[in-house]
Amino acid sequence: MSIKFGWYKTPVPGDREDKQVPHARIISQGTLDTKYMCKMISMSSTISSADVKGVLEALNFWMGFYLSEGNSIELDGLGYFTPTLKSRIETDENGKNKVVAEADSVSFRCATSLKSQIREAGLEAVKKANTEKLTQEQRLENIMKEVKDSKCINCSTGMQINHCSRFMALNDLKSLMDSNKLIQVGKGKQTMYIQSF
């Protein structure tokens, strides 16, 4: 298990001698949603996926309730949550400015144990992908290879494997559906594409 990253160059002001400074940036492997996390927790415990989702929904409700009363909440192994305020200037009916406060958001401070897990993760430097544009035929081949290997694909994966825009990835997937090679399953963020039979 490792975090993949790439090296990128950051432009710096013109009066500095070192014109570009390299910095490491994580290469995202995707976003895991609540449904997926519930399934993983269920597989590693005696609680059903539906029960895990119910607990998370209850946690969300009660955290919102107590944070909105001005409490802070500390969850062992996860972190510390606290409500935040923001101030803004308002002009009253007499044309005078006054500063008003309003509830803004929730601040999160990560637990030490969770930070440690991340800091102990292995790192894997990934070379920059070849920037040469692929033909549509090459992109479609890459998509079908991914479907064969992983049994399914989504738009984000299509963008990653073909180093293309979301628009182009969706067009490629539509082309494969039109030729009856893929079928769409799910909607919205849960949309996946599998091989047609």
Side-chain angles (χ1 to χ4, degrees), residues 33-57:
D33 62 12
T34 303
K35 184 177 178 182
Y36 181 86
M37 294 306 294
C38 287
K39 181 180 175 185
M40 292 298 103
I41 294 168
S42 175
M43 287 171 58
S44 59
S45 69
T46 58
I47 307 169
S48 74
S49 183
D51 286 341
V52 174
K53 190 170 190 302
V55 169
L56 291 176
E57 287 172 354

Side-chain angles (χ1 to χ4, degrees), residues 145-160:
K145 182 179 184 306
E146 176 67 22
V147 171
K148 184 178 179 182
D149 294 344
S150 303
K151 308 304 181 196
C152 64
I153 193 169
N154 60 18
C155 183
S156 296
T157 304
M159 291 165 63
Q160 289 173 5

Side-chain angles (χ1 to χ4, degrees), residues 14-45:
D15 57 346
R16 281 179 48 179
E17 291 182 13
D18 49 337
K19 295 297 180 189
Q20 290 184 321
V21 179
H23 70 275
R25 188 187 303 165
I26 288 175
I27 298 171
S28 174
Q29 300 304 299
T31 301
L32 306 179
D33 62 12
T34 303
K35 184 177 178 182
Y36 181 86
M37 294 306 294
C38 287
K39 181 180 175 185
M40 292 298 103
I41 294 168
S42 175
M43 287 171 58
S44 59
S45 69

Side-chain angles (χ1 to χ4, degrees), residues 61-101:
F61 173 82
W62 288 109
M63 284 182 70
F65 178 84
Y66 285 111
L67 287 167
S68 65
E69 288 195 332
N71 295 286
S72 294
I73 298 172
E74 185 173 7
L75 298 178
D76 291 345
L78 188 57
Y80 187 82
F81 300 81
T82 187
T84 62
L85 303 177
K86 68 178 178 182
S87 303
R88 60 186 174 83
I89 297 174
E90 250 184 23
T91 305
D92 64 18
E93 58 213 19
N94 298 321
K96 291 185 178 180
N97 288 341
K98 64 176 182 178
V99 180
V100 296

Side-chain angles (χ1 to χ4, degrees), residues 3-11 22-28 124-126 128:
I3 297 173
K4 293 180 173 59
F5 73 96
W7 286 107
Y8 297 83
K9 291 182 179 178
T10 307
H23 70 275
R25 188 187 303 165
I26 288 175
I27 298 171
S28 174
E124 180 184 341
V126 176
K128 282 188 181 177

Side-chain angles (χ1 to χ4, degrees), residues 167-184:
F167 177 79
M168 189 175 286
L170 285 170
N171 274 348
D172 289 341
L173 291 165
K174 184 179 182 306
S175 175
L176 289 167
M177 286 194 295
D178 291 344
S179 60
N180 296 319
K181 292 183 178 178
L182 292 181
I183 57 174
Q184 180 179 324

